[in-house]
Amino acid sequence: MKTRLLFFALATMATAYTADACTSMIVSADATVDGRPILWKHRDTSASNNFLYRVENPGEIGYVALFNGSDKLCLDEAWMGMNDEGFAIMNTASYNLPPNAHDWIDREGIVMAKALATCRTVDDFETLLIALPKPLGVCANFGVIDANGDGAYFEADDYNYTRFNLSDSPNGVLIRTNYSYSGVPDKGMGYIRHKNTEVLLATQIEKKCLTPASLTEGVSRSFYNSLLDVDAAAGSEHWAVDQDFVPRRISTASIAIEGLKKGESPENMIMWANVAYPPCSHVEAVTLNHIPGDLLPLDEDCAYSNAGLQADKLKAQVFPITRGSGKNYVNLDAVRAISEEQYQISLEEYAKGQQLRKK
């Protein structure tokens, strides 16, 4: 009955997407199985393909980051990454902060590329936010961790920011979607996705046993809706409206960066990277010195990852209706089979990745 309710209730809703959304989390070392902090981002964006690349510029810190396939190796806008000093960053768009200046918008990727090239600590990023010329051209929740185990969200607009330290969280977890805690109450987006994440991970948060797979394989593959308390993929229904799940039609990546234990070298950081629509793809282990070939751009003129292109073929089975509003309907039969297959591959990749760290 609940899955039937999900279908008919959501079918009456208008499915509205923003160009850039996202669901994210910062996890303290004390709340994880492995004793390493985690920085996670489930990316929603109109940029349909992503790739990973290592950037090394003279006089700057080297880093590995996620880039839009349309960037064609410009590499001036990073959308999540980690650097050679053990610093990592990501963002989610926020829609309840003061709006940007009209002619200076969407510069979050530029700020993150600058941060990866220059920052070593969470405090360094705060210093960067203060020093950068204003207006910043951002409306975002920036999440950062560093080699000291510190973490924070910075809810930033053109002229101001509010810092939320991970150390102040009683359960060792901070979550952000597409609204800011410091913004206008009840405005913005992503309230249901925020709650989805809390509910799905409640037991693991309580027991302090979170892992990167909890996020990439748990939350990013889940078609649970907390408002209706229904998991669409768990029933026998054939279709669902693509509304208020964490994985959405515009989802293009799920990446969990596993930070460092005290005293470890940044070489031990692992970016568990799924650079495509998460239910139709799988993670691969990325280090500062190793990026799997299918996550790299194919060439300079076609800067798309092969992993993303392969996942797009499977995604076409999940969203097979292209006319009218059909694009907003999920083929649950297809997504169950495809996601389970990709999940099994992810488990194999997690095992391989642990061996990569030991080497």
Side-chain angles (χ1 to χ4, degrees):
M1 174 62 78
K2 284 188 175 181
T3 54
R4 194 178 304 277
L5 175 64
L6 171 75
F7 179 80
F8 286 108
L10 291 183
T12 64
M13 299 179 185
T15 304
Y17 289 111
T18 56
D20 292 283
C22 301
T23 305
S24 70
M25 178 183 282
I26 310 176
V27 186
S28 71
D30 292 338
T32 67
V33 169
D34 206 25
R36 293 183 171 89
I38 300 171
L39 188 70
W40 170 67
K41 173 177 174 176
H42 178 108
R43 190 183 188 203
D44 299 325
T45 177
S46 56
S48 60
N49 192 291
N50 307 289
F51 66 87
L52 294 177
Y53 206 76
R54 178 167 173 84
V55 178
E56 294 180 349
N57 293 317
E60 296 183 339
I61 303 169
Y63 64 89
V64 170
L66 180 75
F67 297 93
N68 291 333
S70 57
D71 285 353
K72 295 189 176 181
L73 296 191
C74 294
L75 306 178
D76 54 358
E77 295 185 8
W79 295 103
M80 182 170 188
M82 59 185 184
N83 73 16
D84 291 350
E85 296 293 332
F87 173 87
I89 188 169
M90 54 77 177
N91 81 301
T92 71
S94 178
Y95 298 105
N96 67 337
L97 292 173
N100 293 130
H102 179 68
D103 56 349
W104 201 250
I105 63 174
D106 298 334
R107 295 180 62 82
E108 289 86 359
I110 294 173
V111 170
M112 288 190 285
K114 181 70 172 177
L116 287 166
T118 60
C119 294
R120 290 169 171 79
T121 66
V122 173
D123 289 342
D124 285 350
F125 181 67
E126 183 170 23
T127 300
L128 178 65
L129 284 179
I130 295 170
L132 285 172
K134 308 299 185 295
L136 278 176
V138 305
C139 277
N141 305 312
F142 292 104
V144 295
I145 59 172
D146 63 27
N148 300 319
D150 294 327
Y153 274 109
F154 292 83
E155 299 180 350
D157 58 49
D158 273 344
Y159 297 98
N160 301 292
Y161 69 88
T162 303
R163 176 172 172 169
F164 294 83
N165 290 316
L166 182 60
S167 59
D168 293 332
S169 171
N171 58 12
V173 167
L174 296 175
I175 302 171
R176 293 295 186 275
T177 52
N178 302 118
Y179 66 95
S180 295
Y181 284 26
S182 61
V184 180
D186 299 323
K187 299 296 183 181
M189 301 178 66
Y191 289 90
I192 296 173
R193 283 184 283 115
H194 190 297
K195 187 64 176 180
N196 296 351
T197 304
E198 289 182 329
V199 173
L200 289 168
L201 298 176
T203 299
Q204 294 178 64
I205 291 173
E206 181 183 1
K207 294 182 177 180
K208 297 185 179 299
C209 62
L210 289 162
T211 68
S214 304
L215 304 165
T216 65
E217 309 310 306
V219 182
S220 287
R221 294 189 189 277
S222 173
F223 287 83
Y224 174 72
N225 181 300
S226 57
L227 185 63
L228 300 175
D229 192 23
V230 170
D231 184 342
S236 58
E237 297 294 333
H238 303 298
W239 296 92
V241 177
D242 186 33
Q243 177 82 38
D244 291 323
F245 307 126
V246 172
R248 303 192 288 167
R249 178 174 54 82
I250 59 169
S251 296
T252 65
S254 179
I255 295 177
I257 296 177
E258 201 172 13
L260 301 170
K261 295 181 180 180
K262 290 285 180 67
E264 277 191 322
S265 165
E267 292 181 352
N268 286 321
M269 293 179 78
I270 292 184
M271 176 190 289
W272 302 100
N274 181 335
V275 302
Y277 176 65
C280 290
S281 190
H282 55 269
V283 301
E284 295 185 65
V286 177
T287 69
L288 289 163
N289 300 311
H290 171 73
I291 303 174
D294 62 340
L295 306 184
L296 291 165
L298 294 174
D299 57 58
E300 290 189 15
D301 295 322
C302 181
Y304 296 97
S305 65
N306 188 56
L309 294 176
Q310 294 304 312
D312 283 346
K313 296 177 182 178
L314 298 175
K315 183 180 176 182
Q317 300 176 42
V318 175
F319 296 95
I321 305 174
T322 57
R323 64 184 182 184
S325 61
K327 65 183 180 180
N328 297 320
Y329 288 78
V330 183
N331 182 331
L332 294 173
D333 293 328
V335 83
R336 289 183 192 106
I338 293 171
S339 187
E340 177 60 26
E341 180 181 41
Q342 296 298 315
Y343 167 70
Q344 295 300 328
I345 297 174
S346 280
L347 294 185
E348 295 173 4
E349 293 296 330
Y350 268 109
K352 292 178 184 177
Q354 295 296 349
Q355 294 302 313
L356 188 65
R357 174 182 278 140
K358 290 178 181 178
K359 292 180 181 179

